[in-house]
Every structure is written in structure tokens, then in C-alpha cells.
Amino acid sequence: VLPGVPSEMKAMFETIADEFAGTPTYRETVVADEPESALLDRIAALRERYDVSVGSYPGDSVRVELTGTDEATVAEAAAWLREQVESP
């Protein structure tokens, strides 16, 4: 927990900034207006075509979260999937 006063927060953050080092991760969300079970073949194809992690979260619609370490790959995978699903 860091304080809300900017000068105090900056001073405290500088003492822990090294803990935030690592490989950047990029995320895109695709929303599909189809049952999750109907998306399985397209999710499998997505995983074969692109080096991304895929998570699906059903609700009123299905939110498909794509994550990866390469921003362009994640964006390309999301664009491909958007063309393959029905959008709400």
C-alpha cells in the first residue's frame, strides 16, 4: 500500500521499483455473443496459430482474454478472433 500524496508515493515507490522488473505482458479482450462451448474449435485454432495464452469467462456473453509477451502477436490474435466470432 502506497500513500496518495504524490511526493510521498514517489519516494516510497523508488525503494521497491526493482520488484516491478520483468517481461511485459500484453492483454486484449474479445467479447463473443455465442455460448462458450460453440467457441472451442476457434479457441483451439487460435492457440495453434498464435503464441498467446487464452482464457474464457462466460456470462451474458463470453469474454475471451488473450495474453502474451509480444504486443503485435496479441493484437493480431485478437483481430483474428474478432473476425471469427459473433459480437454483441
Side-chain angles (χ1 to χ4, degrees), residues 4-84:
V5 178
S7 61
E8 292 176 16
M9 189 213 50
K10 183 178 179 187
M12 288 181 74
F13 183 77
E14 288 174 356
T15 65
I16 61 170
D18 291 342
E19 295 180 36
F20 290 89
T23 304
T25 301
Y26 302 93
R27 176 184 309 265
E28 291 249 5
T29 302
V30 177
V31 179
D33 195 22
E34 302 178 49
E36 185 179 31
S37 60
L39 300 172
L40 295 178
D41 59 337
R42 287 165 281 173
I43 290 173
L46 176 75
R47 287 183 170 145
E48 288 179 23
R49 291 179 77 142
Y50 300 98
D51 184 20
V52 295
S53 296
V54 182
S56 65
Y57 306 94
D60 292 335
S61 54
V62 178
R63 232 177 357 106
V64 181
E65 299 280 341
L66 310 176
T67 59
T69 57
D70 182 70
E71 186 175 18
T73 299
V74 172
E76 186 178 330
W80 180 86
L81 185 59
R82 283 185 186 104
E83 291 177 4
Q84 307 300 315

